[in-house]
Amino acid sequence: MPGITIGDSLPNLQVDTTHGKINLHDYVGDSFTIIFSHPGDFTPVCTTELGMMAAYADKFAERGVKLLGLSCDDVASHKEWIKDIEAYNKGKKVTYPIAADPTRDIIKQLNMVDPDEKDDAGHNLPSRALHIVGPDKKIKLSFLYPSSTGRNMDEVVRALDSLLKASKHKIATPANWKEGEAVVIAPSVSNDEAKKLFPNGFKTADLPSKKEYLRFTNV
Ligand code: BEZ
């Protein structure tokens, strides 16, 4: 599907939200920001996802990360729906704004349209898309799930921790990595540079090719 993807700039849209009008670039400011869309208000999986985001809000705040939800209904509908989300999720408050998109213009610009899901009037609904935007207003990571599959917020936190670490060090994180585990040194870093950049040292995997590209360190 055409539209923004990793490396692209977030369009600087004005959006209507449950916290009033927001200018996307002003909202991101100097923070990493997670923008996540949902097919519609008063739908079952979305109610669990928005509640889970509310339950994880402290984890994102600890990391200095902002949240912005989006569903294509209007703000009045979102405000009614929040009562259900909070009740279902044992009173956990939805403290982040939820953007409205009744004309579907925002979901088109943010590449959040699900071509297979339409409302009763035949209008496209949003997919379960999630963009993590950096302080430079560029998309750093995107998830795209169909309406049938609710997202795992532990995976959002895990991916975010990887992004935050890779934004500070010349590293990448291996498969199934979790915060606290060893990371790999970026291929662009020579062994001589790695000795300077990683004072804790690093271990190189002994591979049949004898190429020294898989180097683990702790940062
Ligand atoms: C849901 O949130 O449960 C949902 C929304 C749209 C289509 C299917 C499921």
Side-chain angles (χ1 to χ4, degrees), residues 138-156:
K138 293 208 166 141
I139 310 290
K140 304 295 178 190
L141 178 149
S142 292
F143 291 166
L144 192 54
Y145 283 41
S147 57
S148 57
T149 307
R151 286 159 285 192
N152 182 327
M153 304 317 165
D154 285 329
E155 173 57 10
V156 178

Side-chain angles (χ1 to χ4, degrees), residues 2-206:
I4 57 166
T5 184
I6 55 174
D8 289 342
S9 290
L10 178 74
N12 191 15
L13 308 174
Q14 288 276 350
V15 298
D16 226 353
T17 81
T18 48
H19 292 195
K21 286 205 185 304
I22 281 179
N23 170 283
L24 288 185
H25 284 199
D26 289 348
Y27 186 69
V28 172
D30 296 327
S31 306
F32 277 79
T33 302
I34 301 176
I35 306 178
F36 50 103
S37 63
H38 303 267
D41 294 4
F42 302 100
T43 55
V45 177
C46 301
T47 301
T48 63
E49 285 194 318
L50 282 151
M52 200 56 79
M53 270 306 207
Y56 276 57
D58 290 348
K59 291 185 199 283
F60 294 116
E62 276 164 22
R63 291 163 170 80
V65 171
K66 293 180 188 165
L67 300 176
L68 175 62
L70 185 150
S71 168
C72 59
D73 300 285
D74 61 25
V75 166
S77 165
H78 291 351
K79 286 184 175 170
E80 281 305 304
W81 182 35
I82 285 173
K83 295 176 195 165
D84 284 0
I85 297 167
E86 292 178 345
Y88 175 72
N89 291 283
K90 302 184 175 66
K92 197 82 200 167
K93 293 283 173 209
V94 174
T95 51
Y96 53 83
I98 305 174
D101 189 20
T103 62
R104 314 303 202 256
D105 184 48
I106 300 167
I107 59 169
K108 283 181 199 138
Q109 295 209 48
L110 299 188
N111 198 13
M112 291 172 154
V113 177
D114 184 337
D116 291 335
E117 288 289 342
K118 295 204 171 39
D119 65 12
D120 294 342
H123 300 126
N124 277 114
L125 291 172
S127 54
R128 299 191 194 285
L130 181 150
H131 298 309
I132 302 184
V133 181
D136 60 359
K137 321 295 183 283
K138 293 208 166 141
I139 310 290
K140 304 295 178 190
L141 178 149
S142 292
F143 291 166
L144 192 54
Y145 283 41
S147 57
S148 57
T149 307
R151 286 159 285 192
N152 182 327
M153 304 317 165
D154 285 329
E155 173 57 10
V156 178
V157 173
R158 193 196 73 86
L160 180 65
D161 282 341
S162 167
L163 282 178
L164 292 173
K165 206 171 274 283
S167 73
K168 293 188 195 109
H169 305 279
K170 290 187 173 177
I171 60 97
T173 59
N176 288 10
W177 173 87
K178 289 199 286 301
E179 181 57 77
E181 295 179 353
V183 299
V184 298
I185 297 172
S188 58
V189 177
S190 68
N191 277 345
D192 282 345
E193 197 189 350
K195 283 177 198 150
K196 291 182 207 132
L197 289 178
F198 305 104
N200 294 336
F202 59 92
K203 274 197 178 145
T204 306
D206 183 15

